[in-house]
Each structure stands twice: as structure tokens, then as C-alpha cells.
């Protein structure tokens, strides 16, 4: 008979795909031996696979990093995406950079018609191309194996040719003092160009990115028209956003 702890283990694996035995023990507050005993019936049933001191949900072991990140905070990202999609109307032009939250935005835009979409993400291009009369332009260059997105000089030069109604970027970190940040130089450079090409600019990010400092600056809040997120922000960040006239939109 499966216990409440079994259900908790399955919930963690559903959210994260793979978790080490030691991490499970620490998070459940039990010994390593207890965790090993708990996962045994799950592995015996085939629902869970053992891998190198860890366990993974069957069907998700070996998946691409981007697919794994799509499951992290998925409910929050979906709410943000739904809120963002309501700000876009049929027939408008949209730029979307690569990111799990922007990929959720693309899925919410499947109810729209005749969009013109510019992106460097193969996932977003694949989602919105050939449906509802949309026109999709994808930046060229080498596609990264982890995200299926194009970066570099050719990608930046490509999007610089466009001017759109809505430019939407994701964020690796949001800091009250430094603004929008990322952990990858090429991604930051691409996002910086993208927000300059929109009549209206948006950062879509969930609350876990707040209070973090990235490695590379993308833009100060003065360059961001709207910040769309899933939870209220701290007082110091709210004051900075207000001072820079950046509109805060918290998804219902």
C-alpha cells in the first residue's frame, strides 16, 4: 500500500523529473535507508527508474533540459502567460525570446489569429507557425542543443530589422538595484536588442527570479514598460518600478 510519503515522492518527481536519494531524504526528513525502502515499490511497479544514486520519473529520464525547465513552476508560468496573452490582440505583431515562460505565452496565443511573430526559439516558432493565419519569422544561426534557440550576431542582426507592437522577454534574475539580468552573455545581448524593437516592452517572469542577481545585465527598469509576474513584489522593488514608470502586472 502506497503511503503519503510515496505520494510526496511522486509529486517531487513529477515537478523535477529526477531527484537524488540524498535530496529526497533531506526534504522528507527521513534516513537514506527509509527513502530507499520507500522508492522500492515505485521502482518495482515501473513508475520510477533508478539512476546513479537518484530516481527519476519513467518517461522523463533523459529528457532535454528545456523540457525539464518547462515543468518548473508551471502553474505560475501558465497564469503569467494567460495574463500576457490578454494584452495582445488578433492581427498584432509580437517578438518573443527563448524561455520557458515565453513558450507558455506562445501556447496561450494559440487562441489568437493573424499574428506576426518574430522569435529565436524553435519551440515558439513550431507552436505558432502554420496555424490561424499567423506569419512567423525565426532568427537564424546555430541552434543550441539545450533550448533549440538561435543566438549570436546573425540572430541579433535579424531581429534588428523588425519593429513590433509587443516585445516580450523572459528573465534569469530580477534585482531592485540592477534591473533585469541573465546568466548567459548571448542571451542577455539578444534580449536587450529585442526589447528595443517593441512599441511596448514586457518582461514575463515568475516570483522565484526576484531578489536574484545574474551574471550579465539585460536592461534597467527604465527600458522596461511592463513587468508581468505571478505574485506581489517586495516594497523596495515596487518603489523602483514606480520611480521608473514600469507597470507591474500581477496575474490573477
Amino acid at each position: 500500500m502506497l503511503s503519503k510519503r510515496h505520494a510526496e515522492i511522486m509529486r517531487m518527481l513529477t515537478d523535477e523529473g529526477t531527484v537524488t536519494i540524498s535530496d529526497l531524504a533531506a526534504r522528507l526528513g527521513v534516513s537514506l535507508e527509509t527513502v530507499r525502502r520507500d522508492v522500492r515499490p515505485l521502482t518495482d511497479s515501473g513508475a520510477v527508474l533508478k539512476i546513479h544514486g537518484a530516481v527519476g520519473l519513467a518517461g522523463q529520464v533523459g529528457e532535454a533540459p528545456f523540457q525539464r525547465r518547462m515543468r518548473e513552476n508551471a502553474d505560475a508560468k501558465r497564469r503569467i502567460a494567460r495574463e500576457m496573452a490578454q494584452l495582445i490582440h488578433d492581427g498584432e505583431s509580437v517578438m518573443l525570446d527563448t524561455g520557458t515562460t515565453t513558450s507558455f505565452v506562445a501556447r496561450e496565443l494559440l487562441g489568437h489569429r493573424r499574428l506576426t511573430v518574430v522569435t529565436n526559439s524553435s519551440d515558439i516558432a513550431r507552436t505558432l507557425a502554420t496555424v490561424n493565419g499567423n506569419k512567423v519569422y525565426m532568427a537564424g544561426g546555430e541552434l543550441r542543443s539545450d533550448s533549440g534557440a538561435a543566438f549570436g550576431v546573425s540572430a541579433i542582426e535579424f531581429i534588428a530589422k523588425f519593429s513590433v507592437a509587443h516585445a516580450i522577454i523572459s528573465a534569469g534574475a530580477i534585482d531592485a538595484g540592477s534591473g533585469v539580468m541573465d546568466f548567459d552573455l548571448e542571451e542577455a545581448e539578444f534580449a536587450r536588442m529585442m526589447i528595443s524593437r517593441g512599441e511596448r516592452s514586457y518582461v514575463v517572469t515568475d516570483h522565484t527570479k526576484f531578489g536574484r542577481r545574474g551574471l550579465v545585465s539585460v536592461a534597467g527598469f527604465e527600458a522596461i514598460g511592463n513587468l508581468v509576474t505571478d505574485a506581489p513584489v517586495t516594497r523596495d522593488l515596487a518603489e523602483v518600478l514606480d520611480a521608473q514608470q514600469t507597470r507591474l502586472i500581477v496575474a490573477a
Side-chain angles (χ1 to χ4, degrees):
M1 181 176 178
L2 297 184
S3 67
K4 182 178 179 182
R5 205 158 55 231
H6 288 114
E8 184 66 10
I9 290 170
M10 290 300 292
R11 186 194 65 76
M12 290 182 197
L13 294 177
T14 300
D15 289 344
E16 301 171 38
T18 303
V19 183
T20 66
I21 295 293
S22 59
D23 194 20
L24 282 175
R27 290 160 70 175
L28 293 169
V30 297
S31 68
L32 292 172
E33 187 52 43
T34 297
V35 168
R36 292 190 185 100
R37 190 166 57 245
D38 281 345
V39 301
R40 195 167 297 130
L42 301 176
T43 57
D44 289 345
S45 70
V48 169
L49 301 177
K50 288 183 181 178
I51 39 170
H52 310 304
V55 287
L57 200 62
Q60 293 178 357
V61 174
E63 68 182 347
F66 186 80
Q67 293 172 310
R68 188 162 59 248
R69 293 199 303 272
M70 283 290 285
R71 294 202 316 279
E72 296 172 359
N73 302 313
D75 288 342
K77 292 172 183 177
R78 197 172 289 111
R79 285 190 287 118
I80 293 166
R82 195 170 296 129
E83 193 77 28
M84 182 68 244
Q86 291 175 5
L87 302 174
I88 299 169
H89 301 103
D90 288 352
E92 289 192 313
S93 54
V94 186
M95 261 190 197
L96 293 154
D97 75 349
T98 187
T100 54
T101 308
T102 45
S103 279
F104 273 105
V105 173
R107 284 152 177 75
E108 291 296 328
L109 289 174
L110 283 170
H112 289 57
R113 303 186 62 81
R114 304 182 313 280
L115 295 175
T116 299
V117 180
V118 184
T119 186
N120 67 326
S121 164
S122 60
D123 177 78
I124 291 172
R126 188 169 55 247
T127 299
L128 293 174
T130 72
V131 296
N132 299 342
N134 295 337
K135 187 179 294 184
V136 176
Y137 296 91
M138 183 171 171
E142 181 181 0
L143 297 186
R144 287 194 181 172
S145 59
D146 63 335
S147 62
F151 290 101
V153 174
S154 61
I156 290 175
E157 289 177 346
F158 180 82
I159 64 165
K161 299 173 184 176
F162 294 86
S163 293
V164 298
H166 307 277
I168 307 165
I169 66 169
S170 52
I174 301 284
D175 178 72
S178 302
V180 182
M181 306 187 79
D182 215 314
F183 297 92
D184 181 280
L185 178 61
E186 285 191 321
E187 292 188 23
E189 290 175 338
F190 188 89
R192 190 179 304 121
M193 173 58 76
M194 183 168 277
I195 59 173
S196 73
R197 307 313 301 159
E199 181 182 338
R200 291 174 289 280
S201 60
Y202 307 82
V203 174
V204 289
T205 188
D206 67 84
H207 69 278
T208 64
K209 306 300 193 303
F210 294 125
R212 298 174 65 182
R213 285 184 58 83
L215 183 64
V216 188
S217 173
V218 174
F221 293 116
E222 71 279 357
I224 305 297
N226 305 269
L227 175 61
V228 188
T229 188
D230 63 309
V233 300
T234 59
R235 178 177 294 180
D236 60 337
L237 180 54
E239 290 174 351
V240 171
L241 293 174
D242 187 56
Q244 298 298 338
Q245 297 184 318
T246 301
R247 180 187 176 198
L248 176 65
I249 303 170
V250 179

